[in-house]
């Protein structure tokens, strides 16, 4: 049995010992369920659980739920992935990253329970987060589902409420090649007799069929609740009530969609997890989610980082960029994993980008800069530089930028994380 007193050693161990699969991904609930039971836990935890699934907007939705419930005085555990700079970002208590010692204790609990059962990096981390939340005696846990739904490790828990943000094409190798197939996987987080919220106005038919098969009447955007921009704020109506609210702290008009779904969950669970109108407003204004249209000025250049990593995410990014055009050009730092539709992502931004600075990503799912550059050049997109890492591509783009230009960093969490680290190393507040 492995033992270590520091978090770095545990993470090194997990990275080197998880079962082999496509990039370390191995979907299924058998292993994680066996270890959960060995930990003395069941699929029903001793506190309410909210799961958040979908293709895009999950992390932001978790941030809104977390901020409002924390403002209301509840002890909130939140689990998200992946992280940008520190593993601790994945596990939070009342919005504060878990300390190393808490995570190490959680890892030890999982290690003691698993025996000879192999676990992936994500499965191990998910079980450790649950152990942290149980020991901390949280009032509620908010769990972001990973790339899937039905067979994702988080789905071992029978949640009291499930929020489905949207369904788009992504991870087609594991989830299916169209929205209907992917919808089956994503809607696997629904549970009979529990709350199900669908934040997408027109979800795939398969999502509705899944709910119907569970005898659920899901709460749907456009049917049971609605949200609209109203001047300098937004309005929400649903469940016999209405709110006029300030724009969320998270940037982009699409954050109204994420906040709207989160508010429907909060309203549906209000008797069990009470909150006041002032808590709602404070939560919306205090929610934070790094790497999501996170902008700062570097000299006379506006630098924006966004983890848009699929075509649907890029569509949202384009709408946000179009709402605030720069005085000068837009330069793009772009890196994408090998299993992503990089050409569709680049084409989605092509009308805005004057020059592309291409970077490579390491790892089993990584894509070399040269391969990505060739894809863009074949589509006649103006590649200005092809460099080994996102940090190098960012440095090159910033050197070429003129006052009034905008620099966009996107394409992968790994890309944004590398540039975010570079900004922090330069003492630039990101």
């Amino acid at each position: 049995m492995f033992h270590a007193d520091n978090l770095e050693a545990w993470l090194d161990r997990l990275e080197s010992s998880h079962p082999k699969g496509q990039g370390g991904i191995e979907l299924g609930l058998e292993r994680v369920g066996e270890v959960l039971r060995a930990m003395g836990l069941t699929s029903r935890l001793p506190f309410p659980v909210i799961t958040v699934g979908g293709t895009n907007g999950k992390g932001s939705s978790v941030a809104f739920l977390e901020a409002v419930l924390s403002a209301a005085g509840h002890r909130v555990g939140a689990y998200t992935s992946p992280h940008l700079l520190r593993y601790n970002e994945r596990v939070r208590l009342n919005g504060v990253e878990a300390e190393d010692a808490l995570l190490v204790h959680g890892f030890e609990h999982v290690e003691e329970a698993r025996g000879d059962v192999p676990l992936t990096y994500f499965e191990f981390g998910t079980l450790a987060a649950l152990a942290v939340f149980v020991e901390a005696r949280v009032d509620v846990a908010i769990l972001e589902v990973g790339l899937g739904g039905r067979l994702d490790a988080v789905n071992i828990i029978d949640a009291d409420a499930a929020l489905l943000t949207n369904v788009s094409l992504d991870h087609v190798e594991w989830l299916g090649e169209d929205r209907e197939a992917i919808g089956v996987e994503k809607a696997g987080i629904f549970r009979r007799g529990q709350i199900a919220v669908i934040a997408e106005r027109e979800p795939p038919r398969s999502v509705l069929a899944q709910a119907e098969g569970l005898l659920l009447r899901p709460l749907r955007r456009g049917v049971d609740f609605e949200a609209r921009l109203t001047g300098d704020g937004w309005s929400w109506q649903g469940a016999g009530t209405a709110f006029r609210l300030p724009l969320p702290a998270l940037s982009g008009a699409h954050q109204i969609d994420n906040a709207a779904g989160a508010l429907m969950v909060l309203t549906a669970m209000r008797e069990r997890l009470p909150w006041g109108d002032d808590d709602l407003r404070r939560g919306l204004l205090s929610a934070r989610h790094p790497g999501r249209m996170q902008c700062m000025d570097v000299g006379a250049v506006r630098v924006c980082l966004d983890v848009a990593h699929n075509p649907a995410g890029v569509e949202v990014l384009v709408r946000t960029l179009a709402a605030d055009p720069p005085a000068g050009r837009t330069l793009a730092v772009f890196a994408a994993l090998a299993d992503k539709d990089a050409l569709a992502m680049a084409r989605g931004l092509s009308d805005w980008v004057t020059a592309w600075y291409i970077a490579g990503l390491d790892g089993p799912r990584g894509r070399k800069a040269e391969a990505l550059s060739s894809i863009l050049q074949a589509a006649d997109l103006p590649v200005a530089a092809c460099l080994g890492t996102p940090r190098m591509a960012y440095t090159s783009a910033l050197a070429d930028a003129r006052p009034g230009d905008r620099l966009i960093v996107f394409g992968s969490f790994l890309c944004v994380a590398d540039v975010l680290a570079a900004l922090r190393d330069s003492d630039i507040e990101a």
Side-chain angles (χ1 to χ4, degrees), residues 50 71 92 97 99 103 122 153 186 261 304 388 391 406 426:
I50 301 168
R92 301 187 296 277
E97 297 172 10
E99 296 180 356
L103 294 173
F122 182 75
K186 297 293 186 183
C304 295
R391 182 184 292 234
R406 174 172 60 188
S426 301

Side-chain angles (χ1 to χ4, degrees), residues 336-397:
L337 294 172
D339 55 7
K340 299 294 183 178
D341 190 346
L343 181 56
M345 294 164 64
R347 280 178 169 162
L349 264 176
S350 60
D351 288 345
W352 284 95
V353 175
T354 302
W356 294 85
Y357 295 77
I358 305 303
L361 296 174
D362 293 328
R365 295 168 60 203
R367 190 195 316 246
K368 298 299 183 184
E370 294 78 10
L372 181 56
S373 179
S374 295
I375 291 172
L376 269 64
Q377 288 177 323
D380 293 326
L381 297 180
V383 174
C386 177
L387 296 157
T389 68
R391 182 184 292 234
M392 294 167 63
Y394 161 75
T395 301
S396 177

Side-chain angles (χ1 to χ4, degrees), residues 48 109 134 183 218 313 383:
H109 193 178
V134 169
V383 174

Side-chain angles (χ1 to χ4, degrees), residues 96-108:
V96 178
E97 297 172 10
E99 296 180 356
D100 287 7
L102 285 175
L103 294 173
V104 167
H105 188 62
F107 286 141
E108 288 178 339

Side-chain angles (χ1 to χ4, degrees), residues 7 13 33 36 39 41 105 129 141 171 198 273 293 310 336 342 344 350 379 392 416 418:
L7 180 59
R13 168 75 171 181
L36 182 77
M39 292 169 63
L41 300 175
H105 188 62
H171 299 297
I198 301 174
L273 294 168
M293 205 55 197
N310 51 47
S350 60
M392 294 167 63
V416 169
D418 197 30

Side-chain angles (χ1 to χ4, degrees), residues 66-389:
E66 179 184 19
V68 173
L69 291 172
S70 294
H74 299 291
R75 185 162 174 77
V76 182
Y79 175 60
T80 59
S81 65
H83 60 276
L84 287 173
L85 299 180
R86 297 191 337 135
Y87 185 91
N88 309 60
E89 298 167 23
R90 297 184 179 221
V91 184
R92 301 187 296 277
L93 294 170
N94 278 6
V96 178
E97 297 172 10
E99 296 180 356
D100 287 7
L102 285 175
L103 294 173
V104 167
H105 188 62
F107 286 141
E108 288 178 339
H109 193 178
V110 178
E111 179 72 0
E112 291 170 1
R114 76 177 183 88
D116 295 329
V117 178
L119 295 171
T120 67
Y121 182 99
F122 182 75
E123 289 169 344
F124 210 112
T126 298
L127 290 168
L130 298 179
V132 169
F133 297 153
V134 169
E135 184 168 342
R137 298 184 179 182
V138 299
D139 298 321
V140 57
I142 307 166
L143 311 178
E144 178 184 351
V145 179
L147 67 84
R150 182 175 62 91
L151 298 177
D152 188 271
V154 169
N155 201 39
I156 198 65
I157 301 301
D158 290 328
D160 300 84
L163 168 60
L164 183 60
T165 58
N166 49 60
V167 177
S168 300
L169 296 181
D170 199 11
H171 299 297
V172 295
E173 294 88 345
W174 295 280
L175 305 181
E177 296 185 351
D178 56 40
R179 289 182 75 235
E180 293 298 330
I182 295 173
V184 171
E185 300 299 321
K186 297 293 186 183
I189 65 174
F190 294 161
R191 291 295 191 275
R192 187 186 302 269
Q194 303 299 337
I195 296 164
V197 174
I198 301 174
E200 187 174 19
R201 281 196 180 88
E202 297 183 5
R205 292 185 300 274
S206 60
V207 169
L208 302 178
Q210 176 78 2
E212 183 178 354
L214 294 171
L215 304 180
L216 289 176
R217 183 189 176 281
L219 301 168
R220 296 178 54 190
R221 174 88 179 261
V223 177
D224 301 281
F225 67 99
E226 190 53 275
R228 294 182 177 84
L229 286 168
T230 56
D232 59 352
W234 64 292
S235 64
W236 187 94
Q237 303 84 35
T241 188
F243 296 98
R244 290 184 61 84
L245 299 163
L247 291 175
L250 301 182
S251 300
H254 64 286
Q255 294 295 357
I256 299 302
D257 300 330
N258 297 325
L263 182 47
M264 185 69 258
V265 173
L266 291 167
T267 301
M269 296 194 73
R270 196 169 188 176
E271 288 189 9
R272 192 169 181 186
L273 294 168
W275 50 271
D277 294 2
D278 287 343
D279 302 323
L280 174 60
R281 291 177 172 82
R282 288 202 307 274
L284 291 172
L285 293 173
S286 65
R288 296 290 182 269
H289 197 30
R292 280 70 176 179
M293 205 55 197
Q294 185 177 0
C295 298
M296 71 289 302
D297 291 322
V298 180
V301 177
R302 188 70 168 165
V303 176
C304 295
L305 304 98
D306 192 88
V307 294
H309 56 282
N310 51 47
V314 169
E315 287 181 14
V316 173
L317 173 59
V318 168
R319 290 198 296 271
T320 304
L321 296 177
D324 186 23
R329 307 167 299 165
T330 294
L331 312 180
V333 173
F334 181 39
L337 294 172
D339 55 7
K340 299 294 183 178
D341 190 346
L343 181 56
M345 294 164 64
R347 280 178 169 162
L349 264 176
S350 60
D351 288 345
W352 284 95
V353 175
T354 302
W356 294 85
Y357 295 77
I358 305 303
L361 296 174
D362 293 328
R365 295 168 60 203
R367 190 195 316 246
K368 298 299 183 184
E370 294 78 10
L372 181 56
S373 179
S374 295
I375 291 172
L376 269 64
Q377 288 177 323
D380 293 326
L381 297 180
V383 174
C386 177
L387 296 157
T389 68

